[in-house]
Amino acid sequence: EAGVAQSPRYKIIEKRQSVAFWCNPISGHATLYWYQQILGQGPKLLIQFQNNGVVDDSQLPKDRFSAERLKGVDSTLKIQPAKLEDSAVYLCASSLDTLAETQYFGPGTRLLVL
Amino acid sequence: AQKITQTQPGMFVQEKEAVTLDCTYDTSDQSYGLFWYKQPSSGEMIFLIYQGSYDEQNATEGRYSLNFQKARKSANLVISASQLGDSAMYFCAMREGPGNNRLAFGKGNQVVVIP
């Protein structure tokens, strides 16, 4: 069974530029999560989708971050414009549904904002 | 307020020995779940083990076991017979309440296994 796929693996941009990350969850997983992991910390949930609907985006900085999962499968997370403090690893995870116990993570995208 | 606390400094452990990673949590919910994930240098978070708050027995998965002490609000991970591939960051996480799948992570424990 293929795992969660993410691209790109690495991205370097200058502040005020835009960037987008892509995630393809495990086949059949209805729930998709985006996490931000700043160096030295544990991941923090940014947004959670159930199929193509948002379940929880309470910790998403909506002035600059946006995410969509239009067809209920893959998802895109965008930052526009980026700030220095957005430098982090962005992890995508998926689970069978919102009640499933285990979330499975992708390899992450490492973003460096200069 | 921090919900998951992992305060141990980086740890060195001899190959084939056991290591215990501490995790304490804070919640007022009766129903919650506790998880341990491993994050090697490649960056991927790998699920290791899960303990539900109503589970009466400590969870075990191969070389991983969870020492769950509900009254003390601790969920320590024990890795037996350490292997070189166990070198990684280990994160404790908690899911609060039924129907809520948000995970709150601790800051992690660094483990280095030495031959």
Side-chain angles (χ1 to χ4, degrees):
Chain A
E1 177 182 84
V4 177
Q6 290 188 248
S7 67
R9 291 297 310 277
Y10 305 91
K11 190 73 176 179
I12 301 175
I13 61 173
E14 295 188 347
K15 60 183 179 183
R16 291 189 289 272
Q17 286 187 323
S18 302
V19 65
F21 313 126
W22 174 81
C23 171
N24 191 30
I26 293 173
S27 177
H29 280 196
T31 310
L32 185 147
Y33 314 80
W34 282 103
Y35 288 86
Q36 179 192 57
Q37 185 178 19
I38 293 173
L39 188 65
Q41 298 182 19
K44 181 186 82 172
L45 180 70
L46 293 176
I47 189 168
Q48 175 184 341
F49 290 94
Q50 173 72 7
N51 296 309
N52 61 350
V54 175
V55 174
D56 183 354
D57 63 356
S58 57
Q59 299 188 103
L60 185 74
K62 299 180 183 65
D63 58 332
R64 298 183 300 106
F65 286 66
S66 64
E68 60 184 16
R69 193 185 183 199
L70 293 175
K71 296 182 179 179
V73 181
D74 56 349
S75 175
T76 303
L77 176 69
K78 295 180 182 178
I79 308 175
Q80 180 179 10
K83 292 185 175 181
L84 297 178
E85 58 261 37
D86 298 332
S87 294
V89 177
Y90 291 84
L91 294 162
C92 180
S94 69
S95 64
L96 275 172
D97 56 41
T98 55
L99 299 180
E101 300 300 352
T102 302
Q103 297 178 26
Y104 297 93
F105 285 78
T109 296
R110 295 174 190 251
L111 173 67
L112 178 61
V113 183
L114 301 175
Chain B
Q2 195 168 1
K3 292 182 178 293
I4 296 288
T5 302
Q6 296 178 260
T7 57
Q8 288 167 300
M11 303 174 69
F12 289 91
V13 58
Q14 201 76 37
E15 194 177 8
K16 298 178 186 170
E17 289 187 351
V19 59
T20 298
L21 304 180
D22 296 339
C23 171
T24 58
Y25 59 91
D26 180 27
T27 182
S28 56
D29 285 353
Q30 295 301 309
S31 174
Y32 53 90
L34 297 156
F35 300 77
W36 277 92
Y37 282 86
K38 170 186 177 182
Q39 188 175 44
S41 57
S42 59
E44 185 172 352
M45 298 286 283
I46 301 167
F47 167 72
L48 296 178
I49 196 166
Y50 166 78
Q51 179 85 42
S53 58
Y54 293 119
D55 294 342
E56 294 185 353
Q57 292 198 339
N58 286 343
T60 60
E61 288 285 349
R63 295 186 298 112
Y64 305 107
S65 60
L66 201 151
N67 183 4
F68 181 46
Q69 298 187 42
K70 195 169 182 177
R72 298 177 63 181
K73 293 189 176 179
S74 74
N76 299 341
L77 176 70
V78 180
I79 306 173
S80 61
S82 296
Q83 302 173 355
L84 296 179
D86 294 335
S87 296
M89 285 289 290
Y90 289 82
F91 290 91
C92 181
M94 178 174 64
R95 171 193 54 79
E96 289 185 287
N100 176 3
N101 233 19
R102 178 193 295 193
L103 290 179
F105 284 84
K107 292 188 175 182
N109 296 105
Q110 178 73 54
V111 172
V112 177
V113 180
I114 53 177

